[in-house]
Amino acid sequence: MLWRGSVNRPPTPEAEDGRQDQHLSLQEIINIKLVESGEKERLKELLRERLIECGWRDEMKELCRSFVRKKGKNNVTVEDLINVITPKGRASVPDSVKAELLQHIRSFLGSAAL
Amino acid sequence: MSSVKSPYTVPPPCNHLASYKLKNGLAGYTSLQEYLRIAPNGKPAISKPDSKAPGCSSCNGSHQRLYLCLSCNWISCIDHTLSHTRSSLGHEIAVDIERAELYCGTCRDQVYDPDFDRAVMCKYIREMMPRGRNGFEGISIISERSSKRRRLVPGLDSDFSVSKQLICSGDQRAKSCYPLGLRGLNNLGNTCFMNSVLQVLLNAPPLRNYFLNNKHNQDACRKASADRFCLLCDIDVIFSAVFSGDRSPFSPAQFLYSWWQHAANLASYEQQDAHEFFISLLDGIHEKEGKAKDLNKDGRDCQCIAHRVFSGLLRSDVTCMACGFTSTTYDPCMDISLHMDTNSSLSADSPNKANKSSGNNMGSSSSTLIGCLDLFTRPEKLGSDQKLHCQNCQEKQHSLKQLSIRRLPLVLCLHIKRFEHSLVRKASRKIDWYLQFPFSLDMGPYLSSSIVRKRFGNRIFPFEGDESEISSEFEIFAVVTHSGMLESGHYITFVRLRNMWYKCDDSWVTEVDEKTVRASQCYMVFYVQKMLYYKANEELSCIPISSQRDAFLPVVGCC
């Protein structure tokens, strides 16, 4: 089974055409550049490191634990956890970490030929 | 002793996964192997042959988790995965691309299949990891199950019938309605550090069984050894005194004198560190027994009572960050010393706290014992000044070190490092932060099997050590707390008998509320294997106690 084709593939919806379309938003262009150059993976690694160092990941773990405890471990799905924890997680990322990541992205944009 | 269910069991597949497998067998998994690669975080992930940014085929979204349908290779974000499942019959099973984990669109939850994990691991280990010890270790994870079993040593949990007689024939004039085994210890001159540890030993179920069953016979010991001083004999004396039924405070003078012989450098009336004393005491017991029994000639584990009760095995993995080669070493330990994270920017005294809207609920991650255990087993990047020699690269490289527990002891002592000695500032200080600790503790996540398994993402496969008969569930039975400052402070111990808490403050033993214990500043927390705890409780409840007290105490099992 390859990426290209399969008999079982459902009919192609129109949205797929949008991908080859010229009208990609700036955000999408930047994202593609980040991924293609491998910079996105490096940034993800850096972010992961910083979030572990400052204890953010442990806090999220603790939040997940108490959520599962409250709901009962057989009544929780991955989706529930994602929906509940994500907003809290986003809100508690330290400013210093945000600043550092933004700095990296800025310098990448400055150097990349867009 | 019946075997305990392994702490790690494979969850049964959902109906949809089961029918997917019936229809496709392992074909889908094997074809997926081609696209497996190692993500920067070291775990397996799935990626396209070209390096285009993956996105949802329906909405091009790339900020959510993306799932690859195993039946038609359609990539979707979570919303479109769910609608895809609804619209296409039989297309329930998908793979999380970033993590190489299975997902069922109808159950709307992660599902697990050992065959899938095996397929992922085979590819991962065979081709991705460099040849070296780690490669072999990986293969052994999949194919072998260790047949090593650690038997719970008989004698430590033998039936209590002999000691029952000992206790029941004791002084029935006991005035208090406290359970037997509680008696104050006089302070002989700044010896609260010693009294606090002795109270722990007096209430550790395996030790209580050992001494009350007369496993250390003083007469036999005196005849066998020319040595005048035997710490075990002295402890035996204390046990007899404490369980005699006499409630007046006891002076463990003989024991103190014996210990001074062993630890000559600490022989004074100055204040000592309770943890240091604890380790020194275990060392003293081991030395004495070691001489008597000619041990370790054949490399077997030491059978002295100190080791049988407290000894565990730590595993240390050092991974070269250049080539991924991992070298593993095992070290025995009698306790685990945990750091409180002083560097965390979310810690209590950090000036720039992160902006949190949820207020006090999300406190410092290390202000819980669980947080400290997480910190203990977290992979640590060794600094540039600590570059280690890598066998594979043949040069010094940056390394990653991770600790985990290979084998748990019967009694687990967790020591909180509250005394910080800074070489830079040439000063010592005490860390006074409050640390929350649970009454029931599951050490499962900190076992080597769990930690190593997690390194490869969220996998299910048998791991050597999974089959251990020793459960990972523990119950607290004692807490040694310290109050005051570095140079001058006071130790007291809280002990838990039949789910009632008692405060042992030198000569004074009083019953206290659970809340008081939870609010205390813990320094050493002692847990015992859950089975041994409940067994000990049962045995205690057969002892007649004063009619003033309600004999039917509910057994509370949660933290």
Side-chain angles (χ1 to χ4, degrees), chain B residues 21 29 53-55 76 98 119 155 209 328 338 344 442 457 464 507 546 551:
Chain B
K21 287 199 71 186
Y29 300 164
S76 323
E98 221 182 304
N209 287 348
T328 302
L338 299 171
S344 159
D442 184 0
E464 51 154 322
S507 322
S546 159

Side-chain angles (χ1 to χ4, degrees), chain A residues 99-113:
Chain A
E100 191 180 350
L101 264 291
L102 279 170
Q103 184 53 42
H104 278 272
I105 296 173
R106 236 176 253 126
S107 52
F108 168 79
L109 292 177
S111 65

Side-chain angles (χ1 to χ4, degrees), chain A residues 5 14 33 59 64 87 103-104 110:
Chain A
E14 293 101 43
K33 287 285 175 191
E59 280 199 21
C64 289
Q103 184 53 42
H104 278 272

Side-chain angles (χ1 to χ4, degrees), chain B residues 196-454:
Chain B
S196 55
V197 173
L198 282 176
Q199 292 289 7
V200 174
L201 301 182
L202 284 166
N203 291 287
L207 285 175
R208 211 171 36 205
N209 287 348
Y210 181 80
F211 284 102
L212 293 177
N213 277 327
N214 202 23
K215 290 294 188 216
H216 184 85
N217 189 299
Q218 289 189 43
D219 297 315
C221 176
R222 230 170 288 139
K223 284 188 196 131
S225 152
D227 212 343
R228 269 178 63 215
F229 301 103
C230 172
L231 283 169
L232 286 173
C233 285
D234 300 319
I235 295 177
D236 198 44
V237 166
I238 300 177
F239 263 94
S240 305
V242 167
F243 279 86
S244 65
D246 184 353
R247 298 292 188 179
S248 61
F250 175 75
S251 293
Q254 184 182 333
F255 172 82
L256 179 63
Y257 189 56
S258 274
W259 178 65
W260 278 347
Q261 307 306 315
H262 167 71
N265 56 323
L266 300 171
S268 75
Y269 281 113
E270 281 166 19
Q271 297 194 22
Q272 308 291 349
D273 177 14
H275 177 249
E276 211 181 321
F277 167 72
F278 174 66
I279 297 298
S280 148
L281 175 59
L282 294 183
D283 189 52
I285 293 173
H286 168 73
E287 250 186 55
K288 178 75 196 298
E289 296 250 307
K291 270 187 232 161
K293 292 185 182 179
D294 260 345
L295 290 163
N296 289 331
K297 290 270 166 76
D298 49 354
R300 271 178 43 225
D301 293 339
C302 173
Q303 290 297 300
C304 78
I305 185 64
H307 276 97
R308 275 153 68 194
V309 175
F310 292 101
S311 166
L313 199 64
L314 279 182
R315 168 176 167 151
S316 168
D317 292 313
V318 177
T319 308
C320 169
M321 290 179 76
C323 71
F325 177 80
T326 302
S327 103
T328 302
T329 49
Y330 293 98
D331 291 301
C333 63
M334 298 297 262
D335 70 339
I336 298 181
S337 290
L338 299 171
H339 281 280
M340 298 180 79
D341 193 356
T342 50
N343 291 323
S344 159
S345 70
L346 299 171
S347 65
D349 57 4
S350 163
N352 43 315
K353 261 185 144 157
N355 51 323
K356 288 187 280 241
S357 45
S358 26
N360 287 336
N361 288 348
M362 295 207 307
S364 157
S365 62
S366 286
S367 65
T368 66
L369 186 64
I370 300 282
C372 293
L373 284 167
D374 284 337
L375 185 64
F376 181 73
T377 52
R378 184 190 298 175
E380 181 196 341
K381 269 212 182 100
L382 299 178
S384 309
D385 55 333
Q386 292 168 300
K387 276 188 178 180
L388 292 175
H389 184 261
C390 169
Q391 277 165 269
N392 207 27
C393 303
Q394 291 294 314
E395 58 173 318
K396 290 205 170 177
Q397 300 281 17
H398 279 112
S399 315
L400 205 64
K401 176 171 153 181
Q402 188 172 32
L403 295 171
S404 56
I405 302 175
R406 176 66 175 90
R407 193 182 66 219
L408 288 165
L410 291 180
V411 174
L412 178 65
C413 168
L414 297 177
H415 164 235
I416 314 298
K417 291 178 124 158
R418 287 187 179 276
F419 301 112
E420 199 182 54
H421 305 286
S422 164
L423 292 163
V424 172
R425 280 177 269 148
K426 293 224 176 95
S428 305
R429 66 172 182 129
K430 182 191 172 197
I431 306 170
D432 260 315
W433 303 340
Y434 169 71
L435 191 77
Q436 186 268 349
F437 54 95
F439 285 2
S440 297
L441 178 62
D442 184 0
M443 291 294 285
Y446 311 106
L447 291 174
S448 299
S449 49
S450 306
I451 296 280
V452 176
R453 194 184 269 119
K454 249 191 272 176

Side-chain angles (χ1 to χ4, degrees), chain A residues 48-65:
Chain A
R48 187 174 282 118
E49 224 181 281
R50 293 286 178 261
L51 289 177
I52 291 174
E53 272 169 15
C54 73
W56 180 93
R57 193 181 72 169
D58 292 331
E59 280 199 21
M60 293 305 115
K61 265 182 165 178
E62 193 52 50
L63 282 178
C64 289
R65 268 188 212 115

Side-chain angles (χ1 to χ4, degrees), chain A residues 2-3 9 15-16 19 31 35 41 44-45 48-49 52 54 58-59 63 65 77-79 82 91, chain B residues 35 37 40-41 55 58 60 62 65 73-74 98 103 108-110 345-346 355 363 370 374 378 381:
Chain A
L2 299 175
W3 294 86
R9 187 172 171 168
E16 233 247 334
R19 253 176 158 210
N31 189 39
V35 172
E41 294 225 358
K44 264 188 156 178
E45 255 323 281
R48 187 174 282 118
E49 224 181 281
I52 291 174
C54 73
D58 292 331
E59 280 199 21
L63 282 178
R65 268 188 212 115
T77 65
V78 173
E79 233 182 293
I82 294 175
Chain B
Y35 305 102
R37 63 173 181 106
N41 63 1
S58 312
N60 217 23
S62 55
R65 291 191 182 201
N73 290 336
W74 198 242
E98 221 182 304
Y103 183 84
R108 296 172 74 141
D109 197 8
Q110 242 175 308
S345 70
L346 299 171
N355 51 323
I370 300 282
D374 284 337
R378 184 190 298 175
K381 269 212 182 100

